[in-house]
Amino acid sequence: MMTSNFVGGSFLLKNSNPKDIFIPEEFSEEQKMVFDLVKDFMLREVHGMGLEKLATLDAEKDREKVLEIFRKASESGLCGVSIDEQYGGMGLDFNTGLLYTEALSLGFSFATTIGCQTSIGSLPIVWYGNDEQKAKYLPGIASGELACSYCLTEPSAGSDANSGKTKAVLNAEGTHYILNGQKMWITNGGFADVYIVFAKIEGDDKLSAFIVEKKFGGIDLGKEEKKMGIKASSTVQVFFNNCPVPKENLLGERGKGFNMALNILNSGRIKIAAGGVGGIKFGMEKVIDYANQRVQFGVPISSFGAMKQKIGKMATMAFVLESGVYRVGDDVDKKHKELLASGSSGNDAKINAMREYAIECAILKIHGSEAMCNAADESIQIFGGMGYSMETGVEMAYRDARITKIYEGTNEINRMLSLAEFYKRGFQTKELDMKAAMKAVPMSVLNNWNPFSGGGDFGKEMELITNLKTVFLIITGSAGGKLKSKLVEEQEIVMNLADILAMAFLAESAFLRVAKLKASKATDQKELNIKVQMAQLFLYDALETARLAAKNAVDSYADGLTKWAMHKLVNGMLKSYAINPKDLRRNIANYYIEKGKF
Ligand SMILES: Cc1cc2nc3c(=O)[nH]c(=O)nc-3n(C[C@H](O)[C@H](O)[C@H](O)COP(=O)(O)OP(=O)(O)OC[C@H]3O[C@@H](n4cnc5c(N)ncnc54)[C@H](O)[C@@H]3O)c2cc1C
């Protein structure tokens, strides 16, 4: 097996060096220009129509307006970000693509429309297409001439996507697959020219993927779905009735469609988190502006501790997520380069670099979507009655954000997936060195007999983060020992373990970032001080989340002496972390209230 410096999930088994991770402060001027290009577009073309109009824009009634914005986005180059330059795209690396996605989130429904075009709708061809398929489809997708969509879900196959019934049968002449079936919830489906369709060939039990053009015929569309949010985004059912698909439009290998679907979703998942970062930051601008102007009891409401607490929490989550998202985005790029250097083909390198970080992508998707939904909810609260009005756009953010906990795999599925992937890499493929990790556990536990033994920058915090990882490993080992293969059926325990795992990753990402910033002479000390406080505040909350999750897990599977010992161990390792959360939230909020934005 090739030894690699970039191993997904390895955050759990070793402590990273801050020098080795990417932090958002390191984005180049060119990368920031991509962000500004997208942000300016969204503010001009989408917000420019007025938030009340945007909130009522309807994918069916306002199709012309939706397509007009889609066309303008294409003309500005926004549809070709992940497509190589030789096919007319921008050929951005993955991490810059995440920065692009952060800015895209300002487009509300249009973030979904354009996000589908640049991600799930086109990446199957970018990553799995052969040269002919790329040459035929990618230039049109990059220019926006061809709108595209991704058809995996069916009425009876949602989370259980591999159970789809759509069938492809080769015709007697051997020239075309004849496609029959029904897809549901298809984003961009109402106006797409190209559909990536997942279907089973003849009697196969595994999915394959096809590039299907609307003009092939045999395609009927349902009416636009009436949805809670992202109302301007087209979502329809797509029916295939003897749709003839040329044989050469089979995408990738027969029977490998499900792997492809999952890998495309890995990329979609981290993009949801990048969108969450953008959404929370933008929400903060709006909230701070309003809270500074709105006077009650003779003072701006931004002066109230109850409001500062919310603003401090929003900023902290944007900071922590941002630390995790761009750390992983850069790791994907580095892994990609490493694979190319070791002789992988262009497609394989892209696919395997993404697959490597499935655990991290699932964690980021869950916590990005949940933080964004919480932030939207708290924004309404800060706006009071005006938050409930369509005029301000805040209720639209609340409705639009909610879908992110459902699509690209529900958050329950992603929690299970983060654990399943960890088991697979640790015990089946052995990509993670579990033996060494388990050997280190007793030492890690012993270290805890000293109050705080870690030294150096953030030694105390890094020790607590190591303990979060150790607690995860110990409970996983102990529950696995007792329940064996039945552990996967005890989903409540799996959810608890996934939360401990996520807290370790997110807290570590935040502290690695501030440690790197602290070591850099160029860092503004006032800003660093606030970033340190955000990392500390997150760790304080993360320990509480992990303590509760650990208690729930242990009380759910253990009894007798094991239960007693496990509680003792968890309490000893997840020690009290003495900060003043009120002061920290207030300091953080005051800093951003004064600055006016994140
Ligand atoms: C607006 C919108 C746009 C979408 N766009 C697309 C698109 O472009 N292309 C596409 O293919 N799909 C798309 N989807 C579909 C989306 O990916 C699915 O809705 C999602 O995967 C969940 O499937 P489901 O709705 O059938 O829910 P279900 O799978 O029925 O899940 C319902 C509940 O049961 C839980 N559940 C399911 N299985 C398990 C399990 N094994 N263990 C524990 N809990 C479980 C889920 O977590 C969830 O809480 C879109 C959906 C929406 C609403």
Side-chain angles (χ1 to χ4, degrees), residues 120 150-153 158-160 184-187 227 230 235 403 406-410 412-413 416 491:
I120 57 175
Y150 172 92
C151 305
L152 176 64
T153 307
S159 300
D160 185 10
M184 193 172 183
W185 299 118
I186 304 307
T187 300
K227 307 187 293 288
I230 52 167
T235 319
I403 184 59
I406 298 171
Y407 62 19
E408 313 271 346
T410 65
E412 293 75 31
I413 295 292
M416 288 186 273
Q491 292 186 343

Side-chain angles (χ1 to χ4, degrees), residues 435-449 470 474 569 573:
K435 254 197 196 153
M438 284 309 192
K439 254 196 204 157
V441 164
M443 189 47 78
S444 174
V445 174
L446 272 181
N447 280 341
N448 273 279
W449 295 115
T470 307
I474 291 174
L569 205 132
M573 300 207 76

Side-chain angles (χ1 to χ4, degrees), residues 369-499:
S369 60
E370 291 178 1
M372 180 157 56
C373 288
N374 289 340
D377 190 21
E378 291 290 49
S379 298
I380 294 187
Q381 202 63 21
I382 295 173
F383 270 76
M386 284 313 289
Y388 208 65
S389 153
M390 281 185 151
E391 195 183 319
T392 56
V394 192
E395 63 81 40
M396 172 172 51
Y398 178 80
R399 289 185 290 101
D400 285 3
R402 188 60 182 82
I403 184 59
T404 58
K405 293 205 255 185
I406 298 171
Y407 62 19
E408 313 271 346
T410 65
N411 284 11
E412 293 75 31
I413 295 292
N414 271 288
R415 280 188 163 86
M416 288 186 273
L417 192 140
S418 63
L419 261 272
E421 191 66 24
F422 164 72
Y423 279 112
K424 191 178 95 195
R425 296 175 71 80
F427 299 106
Q428 290 171 16
T429 61
K430 308 247 171 27
E431 288 156 287
L432 291 174
D433 188 355
M434 290 305 296
K435 254 197 196 153
M438 284 309 192
K439 254 196 204 157
V441 164
M443 189 47 78
S444 174
V445 174
L446 272 181
N447 280 341
N448 273 279
W449 295 115
N450 303 323
F452 272 113
S453 45
D457 278 346
F458 308 114
K460 182 167 56 171
E461 285 84 0
M462 288 305 189
E463 187 179 318
L464 281 167
I465 291 165
T466 304
N467 289 358
L468 278 168
K469 300 177 191 180
T470 307
V471 163
F472 170 83
L473 288 171
I474 291 174
I475 301 182
T476 305
S478 161
K482 165 116 192 252
L483 300 168
K484 309 265 175 333
S485 58
K486 287 219 162 62
L487 177 56
V488 288
E489 289 161 28
E490 306 293 341
Q491 292 186 343
E492 297 88 337
I493 299 174
V494 172
M495 301 286 126
N496 294 148
L497 290 170
D499 284 342

Side-chain angles (χ1 to χ4, degrees), residues 120-311:
I120 57 175
S122 56
L123 285 183
I125 306 179
V126 175
W127 289 357
Y128 294 88
N130 57 35
D131 289 347
E132 292 72 33
Q133 290 168 338
K134 288 184 185 185
K136 182 165 182 196
Y137 293 105
L138 292 182
I141 293 173
S143 70
E145 220 173 289
L146 297 176
C148 50
S149 69
Y150 172 92
C151 305
L152 176 64
T153 307
E154 300 184 8
S156 64
S159 300
D160 185 10
N162 204 24
S163 68
K165 295 192 179 78
T166 301
K167 254 216 157 99
V169 177
L170 199 60
N171 64 4
E173 298 79 12
T175 56
H176 288 75
Y177 286 104
I178 307 301
L179 206 57
N180 279 289
Q182 177 184 356
K183 295 289 176 180
M184 193 172 183
W185 299 118
I186 304 307
T187 300
N188 290 359
F191 59 87
D193 307 285
V194 174
Y195 299 87
I196 304 297
V197 183
F198 294 87
K200 286 175 184 155
I201 297 178
E202 290 152 12
D204 289 0
D205 60 352
K206 294 207 167 85
L207 292 170
S208 298
F210 299 88
I211 308 170
V212 181
E213 292 179 43
K214 176 87 166 292
K215 65 174 193 239
F216 289 164
I219 297 179
D220 292 314
L221 302 180
K223 276 198 154 76
E224 286 291 341
E225 301 289 347
K226 301 282 173 236
K227 307 187 293 288
M228 170 186 181
I230 52 167
K231 286 174 182 287
S233 162
S234 165
T235 319
V236 297
Q237 293 200 48
V238 183
F239 301 88
F240 300 95
N241 301 311
N242 292 325
C243 168
V245 182
K247 206 171 79 173
E248 56 274 17
N249 277 29
L250 174 68
L251 189 55
E253 284 177 53
R254 175 173 177 168
K256 292 285 169 65
F258 191 55
N259 288 349
M260 185 187 301
L262 292 185
N263 213 15
I264 297 298
L265 292 178
N266 283 332
S267 144
R269 286 171 184 151
I270 190 170
K271 285 178 183 168
I272 285 188
V277 172
I280 300 172
K281 284 186 189 172
F282 183 69
M284 277 183 65
E285 271 180 42
K286 294 270 161 203
V287 155
I288 291 170
D289 188 41
Y290 183 80
N292 280 338
Q293 285 178 37
R294 174 72 178 163
V295 173
Q296 286 294 283
F297 302 97
V299 289
I301 60 168
S302 61
S303 64
F304 296 129
M307 298 293 106
K308 288 184 186 185
Q309 188 174 36
K310 296 180 195 303
I311 295 170

